[in-house]
């Protein structure tokens, strides 16, 4: 399924250049297992390199199904919980506290100093039964962690592919609006896997990670990960570490965002809504509802 999903994205969005165009294409695949997107990258550009991070199977993560990946010099995979990389995510203090959960955090900075042409952020929260715990704010912590890691490693001109849910949710609208300032945003709803669901991919091309709005988004994502993590683990001190807004920063309220971005949002989301509407109609009508 994930391979065909990657092929659909490639056909419509041209994310992966052919070998004739690039022989040094490098991809960060966050939450990569089973590895469908990585396999699509290597199929369309056999000289590309993929650098994955995924939750270990022993922690409830998926199995990597990429053929011969242990022997393949084009593939590197690190198994870790990206939501616990507190230093990389902006809060090294979390691992240093006198608190029973402090040792669960890691100061590892995977692929430190490396930058990438394309980043996939396709994480989905593991069910509490599989992971052995029911973590508060799990979905927010996961999307923030993916975006922070990817924003800190993307090359100027690079591309993001991000799995999101509900085009109309305020946090998602804010995210799309922010991306529209420092990249070219397109939405994609691969058929049939995401057709009936609210899920879709945000594809952001030609990213400028140094843009003031990209820096502001990075700071907001870190603060959000910090707040959710502090609440989930019962830390009290986290606010001391929060990065303050720069002088003159103006945080738009939703009505301001809709005034400036509403029409663009509707034009971006309309094709995805059409796919979902038609798929749901088909399902309900075939069930005689
Ligand atoms: C839908 S799958 C990704 C599929 C993948 N993009 C592909 O192309 O095959 C979601 C992945 O998120 C991973 N995941 C969930 N929570 C994670 C975490 N906290 N850290 C790292 N990986 C995580 C899961 O283990 C799973 O492999």
């Amino acid at each position: 399924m994930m391979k065909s999903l990657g092929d659909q994205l490639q056909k419509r969005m041209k994310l992966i250049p052919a070998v004739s165009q690039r022989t040094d294409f490098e991809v960060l695949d966050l939450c990569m297992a089973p590895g469908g997107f990585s396999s699509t990258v290597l199929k369309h550009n056999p000289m590309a390199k993929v650098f994955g991070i995924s939750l270990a199977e022993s922690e409830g993560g998926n199995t990597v199904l990429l053929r011969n990946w242990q022997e393949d010099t084009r593939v590197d995979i690190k198994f870790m919980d990206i939501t616990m990389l507190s230093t990389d995510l902006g809060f090294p203090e979390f691992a240093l506290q006198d608190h029973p959960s402090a040792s669960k955090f890691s100061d590892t900075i995977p692929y430190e100093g490396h930058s990438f042409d394309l980043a996939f952020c396709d994480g989905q929260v593991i069910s509490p039964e599989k992971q052995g715990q029911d973590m508060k704010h799990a979905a927010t912590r996961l999307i923030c962690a993916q975006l922070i890691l990817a924003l800190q490693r993307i090359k100027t001109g690079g591309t993001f592919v991000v799995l999101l849910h509900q085009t109309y949710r305020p946090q998602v609208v804010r995210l799309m609006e922010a991306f529209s300032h420092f990249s070219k945003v397109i939405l994609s709803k691969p058929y049939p896997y995401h057709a009936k669901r609210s899920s879709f991919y945000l594809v952001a091309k030609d990213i400028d990670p140094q843009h003031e709005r990209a820096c502001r988004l990075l700071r907001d994502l870190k603060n959000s990960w910090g707040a959710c993590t502090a609440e989930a683990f019962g830390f009290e001190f986290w606010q001391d570490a929060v990065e303050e807004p720069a002088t003159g920063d103006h945080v738009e309220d939703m009505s301001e965002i809709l005034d400036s971005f509403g029409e663009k949002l509707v034009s971006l989301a309309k094709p995805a809504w059409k796919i979902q509407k038609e798929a749901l109609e088909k399902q309900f009508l075939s069930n005689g509802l």
Side-chain angles (χ1 to χ4, degrees), residues 24-265:
D24 57 354
F25 193 67
E26 296 197 317
V27 178
L28 178 66
D29 194 352
L30 295 173
C31 303
M32 69 105 57
F37 283 154
S38 284
S39 129
T40 305
V41 169
L42 296 173
K43 178 172 131 188
H44 290 276
N45 186 328
M47 291 192 77
K49 290 207 165 101
V50 293
F51 299 80
I53 307 181
S54 223
L55 195 65
E57 276 187 73
S58 57
E59 292 181 64
N62 288 7
T63 310
V64 176
L65 299 176
L66 202 60
R67 211 178 311 141
N68 285 335
W69 67 268
Q70 284 99 334
E71 281 82 48
D72 194 332
T73 52
R74 301 168 303 170
V75 179
D76 187 89
I77 307 176
K78 300 189 188 304
F79 292 98
M80 53 184 70
D81 181 343
I82 60 165
T83 65
M84 301 305 281
L85 302 175
S86 49
T87 299
D88 212 348
L89 298 171
F91 291 82
E93 307 75 354
F94 282 14
L96 305 172
Q97 292 307 303
D98 182 16
H99 186 284
S101 291
S103 62
K104 295 180 184 165
F105 290 86
S106 166
D107 62 3
T108 302
I109 301 184
Y111 307 125
E112 188 172 11
H114 207 130
S115 55
F116 299 92
D117 299 288
L118 170 62
F120 291 107
C121 302
D122 193 29
Q124 266 176 25
V125 171
I126 300 295
S127 65
E129 306 82 63
K130 265 181 116 185
Q131 206 169 18
Q133 56 183 335
D134 189 4
M135 185 55 68
K136 205 172 176 189
H137 301 307
T140 306
R141 294 182 63 245
L142 184 59
I143 187 67
C144 288
Q146 291 178 90
L147 290 171
I148 295 167
L149 262 61
L151 270 173
Q152 291 181 150
R153 289 163 176 76
I154 197 74
K155 285 182 189 165
T156 300
T159 301
F160 271 18
V161 176
V162 186
L163 176 67
L164 294 172
H165 301 264
Q166 301 176 331
T167 40
Y168 44 84
R169 209 153 48 94
Q171 295 93 321
V172 173
V173 173
R174 275 187 191 282
L175 202 57
M176 292 193 282
E177 194 265 343
F179 267 96
S180 74
H181 288 274
F182 60 85
S183 66
K184 294 191 188 100
V185 173
I186 318 158
L187 304 193
S188 175
K189 197 168 175 61
Y191 194 86
Y193 316 109
H194 293 268
K196 289 183 220 157
R197 309 179 190 158
S198 70
S199 48
F200 66 98
Y201 287 97
L202 166 80
V203 178
K205 284 184 157 187
D206 205 8
I207 295 176
D208 175 4
Q210 310 303 331
H211 191 284
E212 176 265 322
R213 285 300 301 263
C215 300
R216 203 209 296 183
L217 176 64
L218 182 61
R219 185 201 65 213
D220 292 346
L221 288 164
K222 286 184 175 179
N223 285 345
S224 187
W225 178 85
C228 289
T229 301
E231 204 183 321
F233 287 89
F235 293 149
E236 282 162 12
F237 55 84
W238 72 278
Q239 273 179 323
D240 300 342
V242 159
E243 210 184 313
E244 294 295 329
T247 324
D249 260 6
H250 166 69
V251 180
E252 297 82 1
D253 65 28
M254 192 46 73
S255 64
E256 277 179 275
I257 290 182
L258 289 180
D259 281 348
S260 62
F261 184 65
E263 272 182 38
K264 172 95 177 147
L265 172 66

